[in-house]
Amino acid sequence: MGCLVLTAVVAIAAAVWHSSEGDYVDHLYRVHRVALGELAEDYRSGKLPAEPDLPADLRTLCPSGFAYANDTVLFVQVWENWRSESGIGLGYFTQPPTGRPRVTTADGDYGYPVREVGDGWWWVA
């Protein structure tokens, strides 16, 4: 009986975490939607350098200040661990990602787009 209860508790906790992570990501996107849209426009027009300075209204979203742009993605880091070796964030793709494109999320760490949040932006984990 104890094993069954433990299994149920773990399953419920996983469901709550997944739901709360999605709510958190959606909230981040909604709060910063205008600034992210402007950043994406600069990316599409080719105005961004490879490691862009983020505007002030995105610095609360990206406390590390880590962002980069390449031919396939504009990535804004939302979190990284204290050793700067693991991260997650928002990636902008001009076309919906196909396959499983790998995105650098921190020094030595890669993530993949896991959920679209809107306007070409995806949660990358």
Side-chain angles (χ1 to χ4, degrees), residues 13-37:
V16 168
W17 166 250
H18 180 72
S19 174
S20 65
E21 181 186 39
D23 292 344
Y24 172 71
V25 171
D26 291 342
H27 172 74
L28 285 178
Y29 176 72
R30 281 191 308 271
V31 168
H32 299 284
R33 184 176 185 183
V34 171
L36 288 168

Side-chain angles (χ1 to χ4, degrees), residues 2-107:
C3 188
L4 181 61
V5 171
L6 179 61
T7 302
V9 168
V10 168
I12 290 169
V16 168
W17 166 250
H18 180 72
S19 174
S20 65
E21 181 186 39
D23 292 344
Y24 172 71
V25 171
D26 291 342
H27 172 74
L28 285 178
Y29 176 72
R30 281 191 308 271
V31 168
H32 299 284
R33 184 176 185 183
V34 171
L36 288 168
E38 292 169 357
L39 191 66
E41 177 60 33
D42 287 347
Y43 172 70
R44 284 191 307 275
S45 67
K47 294 179 184 176
L48 285 183
E51 294 183 16
D53 289 330
L54 293 176
D57 45 354
L58 285 179
R59 294 218 178 97
T60 58
L61 172 67
C62 182
S64 71
F66 181 69
Y68 80 88
N70 64 25
D71 292 343
T72 58
V73 66
L74 163 62
F75 178 73
V76 176
Q77 187 184 61
V78 173
W79 173 88
E80 72 177 350
N81 73 350
W82 65 277
R83 293 178 291 200
S84 302
E85 64 185 17
S86 180
I88 54 177
L90 293 166
Y92 175 77
F93 296 84
T94 56
Q95 298 292 319
T98 57
R100 199 169 141 95
R102 188 169 82 162
V103 178
T104 301
T105 57
D107 289 338

